[in-house]
């Protein structure tokens, strides 16, 4: 299941109590203070890992608690620290304060860390000749997590245009491909390698007219198109009439703009797919003439124009 938002509560461990204790013997009736300090509470730390790709774990685990520190004891013995809890999050996880929606951190690179909640320090024992103190409370927070995938290029286009076929051909990703719309229900990430260049590409599924009003799969996956540098706008050249292709193109662009102006302005490489199908060549001529942009013809199925497209994408990213 692809989950890209989560609300969680995090409660770090509290510090253990410092202890009041006195060492006494025959010669030392009054006693020497020897109470040990409490251990520190465990913190909860998010760490970016390439093993996880969604926020699914947090759907089943909405409350995270780290261990408390142990209390100190006599003979100056310090209590054990509570272990830190490390939680894995995917690349591209944004962390917000749930209440005021403030962005606290954007975790981008593998290994990046962020302290969700800090453990409390342990209390002091009376060994320092002051009365013992209790440990600090661990921090408790309500957080909102949002995943915005990080990729260089987003493939946008109407359902059934051939986005999954294209990503399967140019990367190791193998999403389901079928001759009906909405086959892909979640964003699909792929890595494209060409000579010395590599880039990440993501299929943005389910965009149709009215997506920003919740139609189809709605616009909920457009958050994964926000961080790309450019788009491959895929058109289905096998549509019956060229007007339909032009209208698909306009509708997708309108959806991008309705979601966010910035997305509407992002650079697009317009690609006409399914050039192998009869009639597609003619559609291509007409659409090329009417669009005020270059358009590249490919067949994701038989490989026509794919090498050239990948070269162009590499060059455009440089
Ligand atoms: N002839 C031909 N068929 C293609 C080509 N590319 C894709 N198809 C077919 O078009 C249909 C849709 O392809 P998909 O790759 O699933 O399209 P999509 O854009 O990912 O569709 P959704 O995920 O459902 O939105 C499938 O039947 C593919 O086999 C192509 O270049 N030529
Ligand atoms: Mg698909």
């Amino acid at each position: 299941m692809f989950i890209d938002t989560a609300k969680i509560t995090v409660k770090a461990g509290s510090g253990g109590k410092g202890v009041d204790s006195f060492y006494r013997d025959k010669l030392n009736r009054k006693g020497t203070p020897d109470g040990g300090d409490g251990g520190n509470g465990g913190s909860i730390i998010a760490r970016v890992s390439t093993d996880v790709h969604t926020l699914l774990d947090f759907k089943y685990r909405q409350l995270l608690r780290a261990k408390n520190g142990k209390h100190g004891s006599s003979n100056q013995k310090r209590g054990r620290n509570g272990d830190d809890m490390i939680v894995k999050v995917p690349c591209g996880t944004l962390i917000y304060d749930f209440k005021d929606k403030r962005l606290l951190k954007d975790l981008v690179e593998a290994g990046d860390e962020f302290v969700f909640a800090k453990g409390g320090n342990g209390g002091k024992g009376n060994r320092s000749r002051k009365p013992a103190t209790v440990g600090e409370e661990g921090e408790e927070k309500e957080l909102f997590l949002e995943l915005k995938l990080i990729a260089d290029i987003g493939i946008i286009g109407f359902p059934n245009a051939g986005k999954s076929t294209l990503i399967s051909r140019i990367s190791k990703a193998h999403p389901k491909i079928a001759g009906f719309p909405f086959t892909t229900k979640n964003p699909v990430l792929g890595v494209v390698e060409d000579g010395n260049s590599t880039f990440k590409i993501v299929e943005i599924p389910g965009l149709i007219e009215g997506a920003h009003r919740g139609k189809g799969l709605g616009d909920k996956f457009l958050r994964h198109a926000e961080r790309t540098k450019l788009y491959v706008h895929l058109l289905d050249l096998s549509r019956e009439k060229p007007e339909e292709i032009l209208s698909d193109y306009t509708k997708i662009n309108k959806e991008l703009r309705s979601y966010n102006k910035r997305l509407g302005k992002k650079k697009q490489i317009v690609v006409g797919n399914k050039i192998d199908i009869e009639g597609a060549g003619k559609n291509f001529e007409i659409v090329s003439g009417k669009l005020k942009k270059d358009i590249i013809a490919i067949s994701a199925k038989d490989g026509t124009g794919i090498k050239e497209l990948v070269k162009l994408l590499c060059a455009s990213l440089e």
Side-chain angles (χ1 to χ4, degrees), residues 56-213:
L56 179 65
D57 288 352
F58 300 103
K59 188 174 162 69
Y60 301 111
R61 242 174 110 210
Q62 293 164 358
L63 173 65
L64 307 179
R65 256 175 190 285
K67 291 244 164 70
N68 294 334
K70 295 270 190 258
H71 303 320
S73 47
S74 53
N75 207 7
Q76 313 217 20
K77 250 180 98 182
R78 191 175 185 282
R80 232 181 86 99
N81 290 339
D83 290 335
D84 287 341
M85 176 190 275
I86 309 283
V87 286
K88 291 182 187 175
V89 297
C91 295
T93 303
L94 298 140
I95 297 153
Y96 303 87
D97 183 296
F98 180 75
K99 291 207 180 87
D100 63 17
K101 301 287 178 279
R102 205 160 31 99
L103 177 66
L104 305 175
K105 184 78 181 175
D106 181 5
L107 289 169
V108 176
E109 302 280 344
D112 279 2
E113 287 189 350
F114 178 70
V115 179
F116 273 166
K118 195 179 169 318
N121 286 327
K124 294 279 175 226
N126 69 342
R127 68 189 174 90
S128 56
R129 298 181 188 271
K130 284 186 199 142
T133 58
V134 293
E136 289 171 359
E137 283 280 310
E139 279 187 319
E140 179 165 355
K141 290 184 193 161
E142 284 187 307
L143 300 173
F144 181 72
L145 311 185
E146 181 183 31
L147 173 63
K148 289 187 182 180
L149 292 177
I150 298 182
D152 302 289
I153 298 182
I155 310 179
I156 53 171
F158 252 68
N160 218 37
K163 300 181 294 298
S164 297
T165 313
L166 176 61
I167 207 168
S168 313
R169 186 162 273 281
I170 63 178
S171 76
K172 291 202 178 83
H174 289 297
K176 198 173 152 199
I177 294 169
F180 48 81
F182 304 115
T183 307
T184 308
K185 294 195 172 58
N186 296 311
V188 178
L189 260 180
V191 177
V192 182
E193 292 176 22
D194 185 54
N196 292 330
S197 319
T198 60
F199 60 86
K200 271 193 185 171
I201 193 159
V202 59
E203 170 180 358
I204 307 294
L207 265 186
I208 52 167
E209 185 177 26
H212 73 281
R213 280 182 272 112

Side-chain angles (χ1 to χ4, degrees), residues 20-32:
D20 273 319
S21 146
F22 292 88
Y23 173 77
R24 291 189 173 90
D25 60 19
K26 269 191 241 157
L27 305 170
N28 180 3
R29 290 277 153 89
K30 206 171 133 223
T32 310

